Each structure stands twice: as C-alpha cells, then as structure tokens.
Amino acid sequence: GIQVEQSPPDLILQEGANSTLRCNFSDSVNNLQWFHQNPWGQLINLFYIPSGTKQNGRLSATTVATERYSLLYISSSQTTDSGVYFCAVDSRGSQGNLIFGKGTKLSVKP
Amino acid sequence: GAGVSQTPSNKVTEKGKYVELRCDPISGHTALYWYRQSLGQGPEFLIYFQGTGAADDSGLPNDRFFAVRPEGSVSTLKIQRTERGDSAVYLCASSPLPLSGVMNTEAFFGQGTRLTVV
C-alpha cells in the first residue's frame, strides 16, 4: 500500500518563528489532507490539497503531485500552534480510506 | 449535529469485557470511517462504510472487532473479549462522499473515544 512519510518528527520553535513541515507519499493520490491534532486529541482539518497551493491566514500548503510531496508552512508561529500535524492521503489504488503519516510534533515556546 | 460526535469520550473496562463505541456522523454524510490511534502514532484505518455496508474492513485487527451501521447514519464499533492491547483512542470520521476516486471531498473527525482496558 501507499507509504506516507512526514518530516521532521519533532520540531521546537520560538514564538514568532516560521516553519516548514514535509509529507512524502509513494503513489499517486486523489485526496491529501493536513490535520492539526490539538492537545485534547481533536483532529482539526487544515487543508484539503491533493494539488496546488492554498493559504489560510498564517498557514499555507503546497502539494506537488507529480513529485509526490506536500509542504505545510506555518508563519509567525504561536504557542497555540503546538500539537501534532498529520498528513493523510487516499491513494488512487485504495478503496477510499485515508492513510496517515506518523506526524510532526510541534512545540512552540513563548 | 454540526460535527462528528463520539460517545463515550472515555471508557475504562476490565480485560475480557465487551464494549461498544458510538459514532454519530455529520448529517447527510454517506461515508463513515473508524480509526484507532495508539500513543505517539498516527491514526490507523479500521473499517469504512458506504451507506449501510462495510466497503472495506481490511483494517480490523481480528474477529473480536466488529462494526455496524444499520441505517446508514450512526455506527457502533464493538469489541469483544477486550485485551489490554486494545487500549487506544478510537476515532470516527465522515465524508459527504466516498474519498476514493472523488475529488473535492474531505473527511472530518470526531473527538475520539479513549478506551482503557485494565
């Protein structure tokens, strides 16, 4: 099945810093989503982005489908950005479920 | 409701007991998914429903796990003879349409049920 690799596994930032999180996947995808899992365990939808670029406030994402990777950019990070960021994909060969990476754990220090 | 609702939020059970976890998807969503998340890991797929039928149950770990969605809305994940290794957060998600082969449809997750088997 499709493999999803996220990097880095852990990231510590000072408040105000920028960061880039990466997601590599091993097959063509129909669906790619970025989620933020908050400290209470809730998965919050950030972006649905199987290709192209999207922006939402301080967050933006780019997926280069032909090269099988996606990037999540966080600018001017805040302590509330802390948590785990997951990339999840649905490959074109699958029956319709999302396969998750292991996540990037982000800690933003005041 | 406005989002995916899961009950209970926490469940502690003794080894060997039977448990049921409930998921109420977003109204009108035809597809429903169950995932299991262990500490420090990403969610792992268990089963996916399209309407009332299980379209893919390949992620269920063994025959102690079973899920139903009799009316195409609420789903129940059932675990028999629970083991300590079943302890995890069980997440439910729904999407308006099945994800596979359909563009512009995304999955939304509930807050999860934290199951602890003692």
Side-chain angles (χ1 to χ4, degrees):
Chain A
I2 193 169
Q3 304 297 313
V4 182
E5 295 184 355
Q6 291 187 244
S7 59
D10 296 276
L11 185 58
I12 299 174
L13 296 176
Q14 205 65 36
E15 197 169 27
N18 303 329
S19 63
T20 301
L21 283 57
R22 187 176 180 104
C23 172
N24 292 331
F25 42 95
S26 61
D27 199 356
S28 300
V29 298
N30 286 319
N31 179 323
L32 188 147
Q33 292 185 238
W34 282 99
F35 296 91
H36 175 215
Q37 190 165 45
N38 65 23
W40 296 271
Q42 176 75 53
L43 280 166
I44 308 297
N45 290 42
L46 296 178
F47 294 103
Y48 167 84
I49 187 165
S51 64
T53 297
K54 291 186 177 179
Q55 181 159 5
N56 184 4
R58 295 181 296 103
L59 303 181
S60 63
T62 295
T63 297
V64 183
T66 53
E67 297 187 20
R68 299 181 182 170
Y69 72 89
S70 184
L71 302 174
L72 177 68
Y73 304 97
I74 305 174
S75 65
S76 304
S77 57
Q78 301 176 358
T79 56
T80 52
D81 295 332
S82 296
V84 183
Y85 289 80
F86 287 104
C87 167
V89 303
D90 160 49
S91 77
R92 291 184 179 172
S94 83
Q95 298 234 31
N97 53 282
L98 287 174
I99 305 299
F100 281 76
K102 292 187 176 181
T104 291
K105 184 176 181 181
L106 175 65
S107 299
V108 181
K109 305 298 185 184
Chain B
V4 178
S5 177
Q6 291 187 245
T7 54
S9 54
N10 281 285
K11 176 71 177 178
V12 180
T13 191
E14 292 181 349
K15 180 176 176 293
K17 298 291 188 182
Y18 167 83
V19 295
E20 290 189 351
L21 312 180
R22 176 189 167 107
C23 173
D24 202 339
I26 294 172
S27 178
H29 281 195
T30 63
L32 184 148
Y33 313 82
W34 283 99
Y35 285 79
R36 179 168 71 173
Q37 187 175 21
S38 301
L39 193 64
Q41 302 295 315
E44 294 178 331
F45 170 73
L46 295 177
I47 185 170
Y48 145 56
F49 287 90
Q50 172 54 26
T52 60
D56 183 357
D57 65 358
S58 61
L60 294 177
N62 52 60
D63 61 5
R64 297 186 297 105
F65 288 74
F66 189 71
V68 295
R69 195 186 185 199
E71 297 179 358
S73 177
V74 171
S75 177
T76 304
L77 178 66
K78 308 180 180 193
I79 311 174
Q80 298 178 322
R81 305 183 303 281
T82 52
E83 300 177 357
R84 291 196 179 89
D86 299 334
S87 297
V89 176
Y90 289 82
L91 294 164
C92 177
S94 69
S95 62
L97 296 169
L99 296 173
S100 181
V102 179
M103 304 297 286
N104 296 318
T105 186
E106 57 186 293
F108 296 88
F109 281 78
Q111 83 282 8
T113 293
R114 182 175 299 277
L115 176 66
T116 303
V117 182
V118 298

